[in-house]
Amino acid sequence: MANGTIAMTDLPVPKAEKSFFEQSTNKHSGILSWLLTTDHKRIGLMYMFGIISFFLVGAIIGLLMRLELLSPGGKIFSAQTYNSLFTLHGVIMIFLFIIPGIPAIFGNFFLPIQIGARDVAFPRLNLLSWYVYIVGAILALTSLFLPGGPIDTGWTFYIPYSVRSGSNVSLAIFAAFILGFSSILTGINFVTTTHRLRAPGMSFFKMPLFVWATYATAWIQIIATPVIAITILLVIIERAFGVGIFDPALGGDPVLYQHMFWIYSHPAVYIMILPAMGVVSEIIPTFARRTIFGYKQIAYSSLAIAFIGYLVWGHHMFSSGQSDTSNWIFSLLTFLVALPSGVKIFNWVATMYKGSIDPQPPFLWVMSFIVLFSIGGLTGLVLGALATDIHLTDTYFVVAHFHYVMFGGTGTIFIAAFHYWFPKMFGKMYNLKFAKIAVVTYFIGFNMLYFPKFIMGYLGMPRRYYDYLPMYTPYQRISTYGSWILVSTLFFIVGYFIHAYFRGKKATSNPWGGVTLEWHIPSPPPVENFKVIPVITHDPYDFSQLKEMKDE
Amino acid sequence: MSDHQDAVLEVNHVHRDDVGARMGMWLFLLTEVLLFGGLFLVYAVYRYQYPDQFRIAGMELNTSIGTLNTIILLTSSLTVAISIAAIQKGNKLLSVIMLSLTLVMAFMFLVNKFFEWETKFSHGIIPGSKEMTSKPNGQILFYGLYFVMTGLHALHVIIGMIILAFMLVFVIRNKITEGNYVKLENSGLYWHLVDLIWIFLFPLFYLVQ
């Protein structure tokens, strides 16, 4: 035993090995065995239901917004409704889908398995995080139906409008506050798990890169989230008591609010993208049958992104009236953060070079990611440069940029991760042909939806408007048609996964030929993950193990 | 622990790891520091912007009550520390007495705070009130921050009292013992944090002029 106090390795294990679906971790069965479970895999799946539901709700709201913009004249919704729609789209997608998305589902499910542990460090705290997430979600939903109407401030809740608005701002942002707690608790859990529960022999530099990425993300969750918590609290107090801290009428400074908001919300962008980058680093070696190129550089670049990403928030405020000195410093730092991202992209491509590539669906999704994310990343530099940013501030260009990064980046990998790990999580295989069709229609729909926004933004189309000048009509049309293709693809994907769960062929324990620890155990995994805690001797992507694994 | 208990713990995925528990607590305390850090940042910005009015408003605060509360809170940190040391040595009685004293002092702190706020209220210093908004901006901000920061701190004192009350029950019922005291240790850490934050609040509001 490597860790003296962790008395788990030599305990009796159940004789017949049941999967975690069949065996409860408490004395209950049925729904209670899920609601009161401390099993990280079950908690991951419970997050999955919440997160995917909200993702689809957010996507439908986006679809409605696109419908409104099909032709000029603002015929379907009023301006006020449109304000609420884009606010809800933002709040749901960011706080309920993309921030928890990959860490809460796949981090929960695979982080302990990939480091050779039986669970996270604090299993009960983990369950609590899920409940906190659900409470936050319920509060957010409640705020929609109370008198006053749904929040209409945009997801950034900028002062002074968020203090003046008569809509249910306080309750909606309190929901974000609660969701922040869930994020913090998950972060604390993952950092401690990574430090305390690695299997014997698994040094930090033998950890799979998904673990590295989740670990770096957990740190950002811990360090950044409290700042948004206090900022939100101050807005609520401002609305309730009028203390004046952000209200310019009482001497407060709205720009200070923007600083505090982005001190969290920019690092939050990396909370969203880093885990996705970790998943990419898992998928590419598996399907290229080649150890990852530049393992240490990828691991360090996750930490570098986490660190530098904490210091670039001011690039959201180039036109808010901060000093010129701040502007160029933040611009410089923004360019610097592109470096570790570039390191990752080059390492992934180099991994594929001379590999024996097996173009299975997860790999194809990653290819789609690399194109979309690169477009998003490079247009980010256009916005990071001071001169061009002034022209593009608050236009569709910004909207296109962050949808390419967040949806094209994290969203695509969220789907890729399901394609990669679905057979392991559920023990069933989905229809590969359907999955390949979905990649293509997704890619087409995505680019139709968002690429015209770069052009419109460059031509001057402002974001968050429910109407537009006739000159934008052709672009808006293409964009709306794209949204139909994209959203139908999303439902198609959900459909074939549900079909696979009920009717799919049984998956083997290692359908892709991966070598990280999750592929050494049965699909779906047993409750205890490992009969005996493994001793790690190989590097994480050492494919020479494949032969011995076949004999296992 | 008996073998039977081990088996139950095993299925529940819950295991004992004192080092891990402490690590988790320190990480949580870091988030608390950052939470208050946001407020200290706001304070610094406005103090820089309105130095004179902050000075005028600061002179209104009652330094003697502030000092008294500082002494009370620092002493309560000492008693928590003694309580942990006592349980480590197996002295349950001393641990219980010290924990109870901590709770009493925490309560005294809140009582003082209550009377302090009460006095402010009776002078019309209430956020959003007419008398308040007619003051110059710097003073509105000073009192706004004063109520928000000491209020949030008082909330932490109350949470700390609840946690320590549970610990007191655990010690009495032998759930926290000589061999298993990490819960009490972590609660003590939390209490020290509450103390630490006050140590910064006190000079910023009552002393610096």
Side-chain angles (χ1 to χ4, degrees):
Chain A
M1 265 193 307
N3 298 317
T5 46
I6 303 169
M8 300 206 320
T9 32
D10 47 5
L11 287 167
V13 278
K15 275 174 195 111
E17 209 170 24
K18 289 179 181 168
S19 81
F20 74 97
F21 284 102
E22 295 152 342
Q23 196 183 356
S24 171
T25 53
N26 49 42
K27 58 181 190 291
H28 306 282
S29 57
I31 188 79
L32 276 183
S33 76
W34 284 81
L35 292 177
L36 300 175
T37 188
T38 49
D39 180 6
H40 66 101
K41 300 180 286 298
R42 285 192 174 203
I43 293 172
L45 291 190
M46 294 204 294
Y47 268 115
M48 184 189 79
F49 285 110
I51 286 168
I52 290 186
S53 313
F54 284 112
F55 176 49
L56 294 178
V57 170
I60 288 170
I61 295 176
L63 194 71
L64 293 176
M65 286 156 67
R66 284 313 321 165
L67 207 58
E68 164 70 33
L69 296 167
L70 183 61
S71 47
K75 293 187 186 80
I76 303 175
F77 303 115
S78 67
Q80 176 64 26
T81 313
Y82 189 81
N83 288 349
S84 290
L85 283 181
F86 73 67
T87 307
L88 291 175
H89 176 77
V91 170
I92 290 176
M93 285 302 203
I94 287 177
F95 293 105
L96 289 165
F97 164 61
I98 211 162
I99 289 181
I102 295 177
I105 302 175
F106 299 106
N108 255 321
F109 203 108
F110 288 106
L111 173 83
I113 300 181
Q114 286 197 326
I115 60 173
R118 293 207 157 113
D119 208 322
V120 292
F122 310 116
R124 279 178 298 209
L125 189 71
N126 202 16
L127 182 64
L128 179 68
S129 319
W130 182 77
Y131 275 102
V132 173
Y133 172 83
I134 292 297
V135 168
I138 290 171
L139 284 177
L141 289 179
T142 315
S143 78
L144 303 184
F145 302 107
L146 290 181
I151 181 169
D152 61 348
T153 59
W155 81 275
T156 47
F157 321 126
Y158 267 19
I159 297 267
Y161 183 65
S162 57
V163 174
R164 306 266 188 280
S165 167
S167 62
N168 290 322
V169 175
S170 295
L171 190 59
I173 63 177
F174 187 64
F177 177 82
I178 298 284
L179 291 168
F181 261 102
S182 170
S183 193
I184 287 176
L185 294 179
T186 305
I188 290 176
N189 220 336
F190 285 180
V191 168
T192 315
T193 306
T194 311
H195 278 282
R196 294 297 299 162
L197 294 183
R198 279 170 291 123
M202 180 165 286
S203 58
F204 258 74
F205 287 107
K206 283 210 168 99
M207 297 193 310
L209 287 164
F210 178 66
V211 176
W212 266 104
T214 314
Y215 174 73
T217 310
W219 269 111
I220 318 178
Q221 285 174 304
I222 293 170
I223 293 175
T225 317
V227 182
I228 192 79
I230 192 65
T231 312
I232 284 176
L233 216 52
L234 286 174
V235 175
I236 296 173
I237 292 171
E238 188 76 69
R239 281 177 68 87
F241 302 108
V243 286
I245 289 176
F246 293 133
D247 190 344
L250 300 172
D253 185 356
V255 178
L256 182 61
Y257 168 82
Q258 295 186 15
H259 275 292
M260 293 184 67
F261 180 82
W262 289 114
I263 285 176
Y264 164 72
S265 296
H266 194 81
V269 169
Y270 298 101
I271 296 180
M272 304 171 201
I273 195 67
L274 271 176
M277 291 170 156
V279 176
V280 174
S281 308
E282 294 297 313
I283 292 178
I284 287 181
T286 301
F287 292 94
R289 293 287 181 280
R290 201 163 166 269
T291 188
I292 191 107
F293 185 85
Y295 170 90
K296 277 200 178 176
Q297 284 68 29
I298 294 184
Y300 280 129
S301 66
S302 287
L303 294 184
I305 289 176
F307 178 70
I308 306 174
Y310 202 73
L311 305 172
V312 299
W313 76 85
H315 68 214
H316 294 270
M317 303 165 56
F318 285 158
S319 58
S320 300
Q322 64 183 355
S323 74
D324 286 345
T325 318
S326 311
N327 277 350
W328 74 254
I329 291 174
F330 280 124
S331 178
L332 177 73
L333 287 165
T334 304
F335 275 82
L336 283 182
V337 86
L339 292 178
S341 313
V343 165
K344 280 179 192 279
I345 297 267
F346 285 122
N347 278 323
W348 292 328
V349 176
T351 305
M352 288 182 257
Y353 179 67
K354 286 194 175 170
S356 113
I357 289 173
D358 182 14
Q360 295 292 337
F363 183 79
L364 297 175
W365 281 101
V366 166
M367 289 304 99
S368 165
F369 159 86
I370 288 190
V371 176
L372 299 176
F373 184 71
S374 299
I375 295 176
L378 292 172
T379 50
L381 294 179
V382 177
L383 293 167
L386 289 173
T388 40
D389 181 71
I390 301 298
H391 176 65
L392 296 169
T393 290
D394 278 341
T395 66
Y396 268 28
F397 195 92
V398 181
V399 179
H401 158 68
F402 71 67
H403 279 88
Y404 266 89
V405 184
M406 295 290 88
F407 192 178
T410 311
T412 308
I413 289 305
F414 182 76
I415 300 168
F418 266 107
H419 284 86
Y420 184 54
W421 278 317
F422 185 87
K424 176 56 63 186
M425 294 163 84
F426 299 96
K428 295 288 177 65
M429 186 50 96
Y430 51 88
N431 186 322
L432 296 179
K433 199 181 277 170
F434 285 172
K436 286 178 184 168
I437 294 169
V439 183
V440 177
T441 53
Y442 176 91
F443 190 78
I444 294 170
F446 188 96
N447 283 301
M448 275 174 73
L449 171 52
Y450 296 113
F451 203 83
K453 293 194 178 189
F454 280 125
I455 303 166
M456 282 188 273
Y458 187 77
L459 295 174
M461 173 73 206
R463 65 194 288 199
R464 293 180 172 176
Y465 277 37
Y466 82 121
D467 195 4
Y468 53 87
L469 295 174
M471 63 179 274
Y472 298 112
T473 312
Y475 304 110
Q476 295 277 20
R477 282 265 154 94
I478 297 173
S479 185
T480 302
Y481 299 149
S483 74
W484 296 344
I485 299 178
L486 188 63
V487 174
S488 347
T489 307
L490 293 179
F491 278 94
F492 176 54
I493 295 169
V494 173
Y496 68 69
F497 275 131
I498 292 176
H499 179 263
Y501 177 70
F502 289 107
R503 295 278 163 79
K505 272 188 279 176
K506 227 173 141 14
T508 59
S509 67
N510 191 4
W512 312 123
V515 287
T516 39
L517 284 176
E518 74 269 31
W519 305 113
H520 293 245
I521 58 173
S523 312
V527 178
E528 298 303 330
N529 298 346
F530 303 96
K531 272 186 209 152
V532 181
I533 294 291
V535 176
I536 312 301
T537 48
H538 292 280
D539 283 332
Y541 305 104
D542 178 0
F543 282 87
S544 67
Q545 298 172 75
L546 268 181
K547 223 172 158 205
E548 20 179 311
M549 282 170 73
K550 289 217 174 87
D551 306 332
E552 267 172 14
Chain B
M1 249 189 279
S2 70
D3 286 339
H4 173 68
Q5 262 175 323
D6 264 352
V8 173
L9 287 180
E10 163 80 348
V11 174
N12 279 325
H13 279 220
V14 177
H15 61 275
R16 193 177 146 200
D17 175 11
D18 290 355
V19 179
R22 260 178 238 126
M23 186 185 277
M25 192 63 199
W26 278 106
L27 288 171
F28 178 72
L29 295 184
L30 175 64
T31 68
E32 288 276 11
V33 167
L34 284 159
L35 184 87
F36 276 93
L39 284 171
F40 285 121
L41 176 74
V42 174
Y43 177 93
V45 168
Y46 290 138
R47 172 143 212 133
Y48 177 77
Q49 212 167 335
Y50 303 99
D52 297 334
Q53 286 173 22
F54 264 55
R55 190 175 306 130
I56 294 166
M59 275 149 72
E60 289 282 314
L61 296 187
N62 190 332
T63 315
S64 8
I65 293 195
T67 314
L68 182 63
N69 260 350
T70 308
I71 294 167
I72 290 174
L73 215 52
L74 276 174
T75 317
S76 75
S77 245
L78 174 71
T79 51
V80 160
I82 295 176
S83 156
I84 298 167
I87 203 76
Q88 283 171 337
K89 294 212 162 77
N91 191 341
K92 182 176 158 185
L93 182 67
L94 182 61
S95 183
V96 168
I97 293 171
M98 284 300 154
L99 262 181
S100 314
L101 274 178
T102 312
L103 283 170
V104 170
M105 279 184 273
F107 187 70
M108 280 162 62
F109 176 90
L110 287 177
V111 170
N112 279 340
K113 197 90 245 161
F114 171 79
F115 283 116
E116 206 189 337
W117 276 33
E118 174 90 294
T119 324
K120 296 281 165 310
F121 289 158
S122 67
H123 291 153
I125 301 177
I126 306 167
S129 72
K130 229 182 184 166
E131 227 168 314
M132 189 73 191
T133 40
S134 62
K135 284 181 190 291
N137 284 345
Q139 295 195 31
I140 298 177
L141 286 172
F142 179 88
Y143 285 116
L145 282 168
Y146 165 77
F147 282 119
V148 170
M149 290 174 87
T150 56
L152 194 62
H153 178 258
L155 186 68
H156 277 76
V157 172
I158 293 169
I159 296 169
M161 282 176 74
I162 295 170
I163 295 171
L164 289 177
F166 271 101
M167 294 307 128
L168 183 61
V169 175
F170 288 160
V171 174
I172 292 170
R173 291 196 181 161
N174 292 324
K175 292 254 173 72
I176 292 173
T177 57
E178 197 178 341
N180 185 4
Y181 50 82
V182 70
K183 277 199 193 81
L184 181 62
E185 215 179 356
N186 278 345
S187 314
L189 281 175
Y190 184 83
W191 193 250
H192 294 320
L193 176 92
V194 172
D195 199 6
L196 180 77
I197 290 167
W198 179 256
I199 288 175
F200 282 90
L201 289 181
F202 175 58
L204 286 182
F205 284 106
Y206 297 81
L207 297 184
V208 186
Q209 277 168 11

